[in-house]
Amino acid sequence: MITKAKLKKDFIYILASIFIALSISLIYIFAPKLPNSIDNRLKDYMFNIRGEIAPKTNSVVIIDIDEKSLQSLGQWPWSRNTLAKILRNLKDKDIAIIGMDIVFAEEDRTSPHSIFDKLNIKKENIPNYDFEFAQTVATTPTILGYQFEFQRKKHINKEAPSIQTMFIEKNKKLGKNHLIQANGTILNIPIIQDSSYSSGFFNNIPDDSGVIRSVPLIISYDDEIYPSLALETLRIALGIKGININYNENGVKNLQLNEYIIPTDRHGRLLINFRGKEKTFDYISAVDIYNNTFKKEDIENKIALLGTSAAALYDLRATPFESIFPGVEVHANVIDNIIAKDFLYKPSWVDGANIFIIFVLVFFVVYITKKIHLLFIPLLTTSLLFLCSYLIYFILFNYGLVLNIFFPLLTIVLSTIITIMLQYFYEIKKKDEIKNKFASKVSKDVMEQLLKNVNNNQLQAQNKEITVFFSDIRGFTKISEDIKQPDLLVKYINKYMTPMSEIITKNKGTIDKYIGDAIMAYWNAPFDIEDHEDKAVKSALEQLEELENLNITLEKNKQPIIDIGIGITTGIATVGEIGSIGRSDYTLIGDTINIGSRVESLCKFYGVNLIITNFTKNNLKNSYTFRYLDYVKLKGKDEPIELWEVINDNKISSHLNKELEIYNKAISIFTKAQLQESKKLFEELVTLNPCTLYKLYLTRCEEYIYSNSFQEVYKHESK
């Protein structure tokens, strides 16, 4: 038989499931930055689990300007005639095409032609290495590289590279605006750039975490579209004239080179299916090409990419496999992915699929978790996390579909936790009712202690060191006169009391009572609280910060703003259940409580919001910024005490630091009865900040100078 209570419980679980799924989905849609960063790292981990795999084709070879080449041929940049010889040697061994992962943005300074020109010497029949290199580029199957600039700079090259690629854009109006936009170029010098059949950009743009996970295949510049070095090299190697760009409403859908359909993201970027760590592809040292000491079969009819793995040349990138990876091998991975049609891709519908997975997982996890025993939940959760991770891993490397990893795992964990919490709340419902009855008579902490200790020995009267806290609203009488309606006044005061009380209880304090607009609280009773002095001071500082936020809201609502004073002291008090036989409360009495109340009342006298006594200050463990206020005898007390203000470190400024420096010096000489000198400093302080405290000490100096007397201890005559 299904009862109403069970139906209500099931309905709450359904509502909770919907809430969890919607919350996680909204984070997925509107706040993806941090989750995406974690998701990318999880995918990197999956790459490392999969391990290195051989390139799917044997089409790419890397001509490496490595350490060996630099030692043999000299430091970079090499003379252009050296590079020309490398290109000729490659052509002579029937290379299919050469992609240059290098830009020659300046003239060759080592060229005799350039040297003679600088010396203003006639240079007839003098070798020009740039011209020689340009001729070699023109007579070899060489595709030049260049870079796009994306930052807006004052001095930036606006010249556009010439392109041979014909782009055919389908549904252009739908998505072209999503293409990456460049602001300038770094091109080869004209004599070289103009000699090449074609060229492509070699920008590798890392994501927010600095890792190369995708590369742009096309970039828009000055309303024209330009291909990457890898894409253009492959296009020419395959003998394809045009590239189709297919758009949809989300941006770029894919690129098409005849039968090669390349899935990209909306910006025209290809997710790289990395084959492995550095040197997964075949490498040949550039010096071996130069010396012609390599085998023809190693390069014959292949695509050669000329770049560097030398650390000194700074063309190293971070990839999912390692943090130091040659940029030229990134292009090799791209070409191999395209030729092998071995892609990783996120179709336009993948966001919908990820959200669908979130909803399915939430309902499944909530249903299963509430059905099984609590002891089996860790095993269930671990199994689900493993199974979900494996399925996403399997789909990623077998079908190339990139699903989100982080959000399904987050969904499993959160759904399990929230379901356990719901079960817990239902199981302790009756216990909560009992607690509520206790709470109507004693404070929350005392109630919890009553439930934990059957014998209640701790609730017997005892002398105990406590830290007591008093706070009071300044000018509340005027506020109550302005807000005449009782219900509005209660709502107004509750706006203040609620966050102030929450801060105290959050810091393990007990609220003893509300005295009109005042709060009395204490720490270290009935049970011990470690560092109770720090927790009391922390509560006070947090309350003052929260009050600033509350006052902003009150001011917007055209309600009176609130100013408070807080007094804190530490000492021995008598604590225990006090009251009548029928109605008692756990509270505290003694001289320490009187001191705390009177210290709070002195906030207005000194013009500050928070005063602690030396009894509290001497026991603080954490670091604070203090301002000495006074050495006083309170009304009705014989023993003098020190009063200190605690200043919130968030409020410390250079101006306040200067004040404190002058003030501390002024107080130091004031206490030594050097009144004329301290008077000058307090006058300076009043000029900087005419606050109550500085004026008070200036007045004292003047009075003591006039009366030719000095009182080390100031006596307060009122409470």
Side-chain angles (χ1 to χ4, degrees), residues 217-229:
L217 295 181
I218 51 175
I219 286 178
S220 177
Y221 176 62
D222 199 21
D223 291 328
E224 292 287 343
I225 298 175
Y226 295 86
S228 71
L229 177 64

Side-chain angles (χ1 to χ4, degrees), residues 227-250:
S228 71
L229 177 64
L231 182 64
E232 183 67 355
T233 301
L234 181 59
R235 179 191 72 81
I236 296 171
L238 295 172
I240 298 171
K241 291 185 178 180
I243 299 175
N244 290 339
I245 305 176
N246 298 313
Y247 298 100
N248 59 23
E249 62 277 3
N250 296 315

Side-chain angles (χ1 to χ4, degrees), residues 493-659:
I493 194 64
N494 284 346
K495 286 182 183 178
Y496 161 78
M497 289 291 189
T498 300
M500 300 300 116
S501 302
E502 288 174 352
I503 289 170
I504 291 171
T505 55
K506 180 187 73 173
N507 288 291
K508 299 186 179 181
T510 298
I511 297 172
D512 185 81
K513 59 177 69 74
Y514 299 104
I515 313 166
D517 58 305
I519 300 174
M520 175 184 169
Y522 58 87
W523 279 259
N524 210 42
F527 46 89
D528 292 340
I529 301 294
E530 187 177 358
D531 300 332
H532 52 90
E533 298 91 350
D534 287 279
K535 288 179 172 59
V537 172
K538 184 174 183 288
S539 296
L541 293 173
E542 288 181 4
Q543 284 188 350
L544 293 174
E545 280 195 28
E546 181 62 29
L547 185 61
E548 289 186 10
N549 299 327
L550 176 61
N551 279 332
I552 293 172
T553 303
L554 293 175
E555 198 166 17
K556 286 181 180 178
N557 296 334
K558 297 183 179 178
Q559 293 178 296
I561 62 172
I562 295 174
D563 185 29
I564 65 172
I566 300 174
I568 298 174
T569 190
T570 300
I572 302 298
T574 301
V575 296
E577 283 193 275
I578 299 173
S580 65
I581 295 175
R583 175 69 170 92
S584 65
D585 195 7
Y586 187 88
T587 187
L588 30 81
I589 56 176
D591 197 46
T592 299
I593 289 76
N594 296 331
I595 292 173
S597 175
R598 294 179 188 181
V599 166
E600 178 275 316
S601 67
L602 292 177
C603 287
K604 186 176 180 181
F605 181 83
Y606 292 100
V608 297
N609 294 107
L610 170 58
I611 298 177
I612 67 171
T613 66
N614 54 294
F615 307 125
T616 298
K617 178 179 179 293
N618 294 341
N619 291 324
L620 292 173
K621 304 292 191 306
N622 296 332
S623 177
Y624 303 91
T625 300
F626 298 103
R627 175 157 45 192
Y628 174 85
L629 295 178
D630 216 344
Y631 188 50
V632 302
K633 285 185 180 180
L634 300 176
K635 175 71 173 177
K637 305 294 178 184
D638 293 327
E639 182 183 355
I641 62 173
E642 294 177 5
L643 302 180
W644 294 81
E645 179 189 9
V646 185
I647 301 173
N648 192 330
D649 287 337
N650 294 334
K651 304 298 180 184
I652 300 297
S653 62
S654 57
H655 183 79
L656 182 55
N657 274 328
K658 181 180 179 182
E659 282 187 33

Side-chain angles (χ1 to χ4, degrees), residues 302-315:
K302 290 187 179 182
I303 298 170
L305 297 174
L306 180 58
T308 179
S309 67
L313 300 187
Y314 303 107
D315 188 27

Side-chain angles (χ1 to χ4, degrees), residues 270-480:
L270 173 70
L271 281 167
I272 306 173
N273 190 354
F274 281 99
R275 302 316 189 193
K277 295 183 178 180
E278 177 186 4
K279 297 192 176 177
T280 304
F281 288 79
D282 291 334
Y283 274 67
I284 301 176
S285 179
V287 68
D288 291 337
I289 305 295
Y290 180 83
N291 293 327
N292 222 345
T293 56
F294 64 100
K295 297 177 182 179
K296 179 179 179 179
E297 57 265 28
D298 290 339
I299 70 162
E300 187 175 12
N301 297 320
K302 290 187 179 182
I303 298 170
L305 297 174
L306 180 58
T308 179
S309 67
L313 300 187
Y314 303 107
D315 188 27
L316 301 176
R317 304 287 185 266
T319 70
F321 277 101
E322 55 187 343
S323 59
I324 300 176
F325 188 88
V328 65
E329 196 165 351
V330 174
H331 306 307
N333 275 275
V334 171
I335 293 172
D336 189 66
N337 286 181
I338 297 173
I339 295 176
K341 299 180 182 178
D342 184 23
F343 301 113
L344 302 180
Y345 67 102
K346 291 182 180 179
S348 58
W349 49 264
V350 77
D351 287 335
N354 285 325
I355 292 172
F356 177 76
I357 291 170
I358 290 169
F359 271 83
V360 170
L361 280 174
V362 168
F363 280 91
F364 177 76
V365 172
V366 170
Y367 178 79
I368 294 296
T369 304
K370 74 184 185 72
K371 290 289 185 182
I372 66 174
H373 194 276
L374 186 65
L375 292 175
F376 296 104
I377 289 178
L379 178 62
L380 171 70
T381 304
T382 304
S383 300
L384 285 174
L385 290 171
F386 175 80
L387 180 61
C388 184
S389 300
Y390 176 76
L391 287 174
I392 293 172
Y393 170 89
F394 182 82
I395 292 170
L396 176 65
F397 292 117
N398 286 273
Y399 296 97
L401 178 61
V402 181
L403 295 172
N404 192 280
I405 306 169
F406 171 75
F407 278 98
L409 301 185
L410 175 68
T411 300
I412 293 170
V413 173
L414 279 183
S415 300
T416 303
I417 291 172
I418 292 174
T419 306
I420 292 172
M421 289 173 63
L422 283 173
Q423 289 178 309
Y424 173 77
F425 288 137
Y426 274 113
E427 288 174 1
I428 65 169
K429 188 174 181 180
K430 289 184 179 180
K431 191 176 179 181
D432 284 340
E433 291 174 358
I434 296 171
K435 286 184 178 181
N436 289 334
K437 289 180 181 179
F438 277 113
S440 65
K441 294 187 177 182
V442 297
S443 66
K444 180 180 176 182
D445 285 334
V446 175
M447 170 197 67
E448 297 290 349
Q449 198 68 19
L450 277 167
L451 293 172
K452 291 178 182 178
N453 297 277
V454 179
N455 55 18
N456 291 333
N457 289 333
Q458 284 188 318
L459 300 183
Q460 294 179 357
Q462 58 180 313
N463 288 332
K464 190 172 176 56
E465 182 185 74
I466 54 94
T467 296
V468 67
F469 168 108
F470 283 89
S471 70
D472 189 27
I473 297 178
R474 299 283 172 242
F476 186 71
T477 303
K478 177 66 168 59
I479 292 173
S480 60

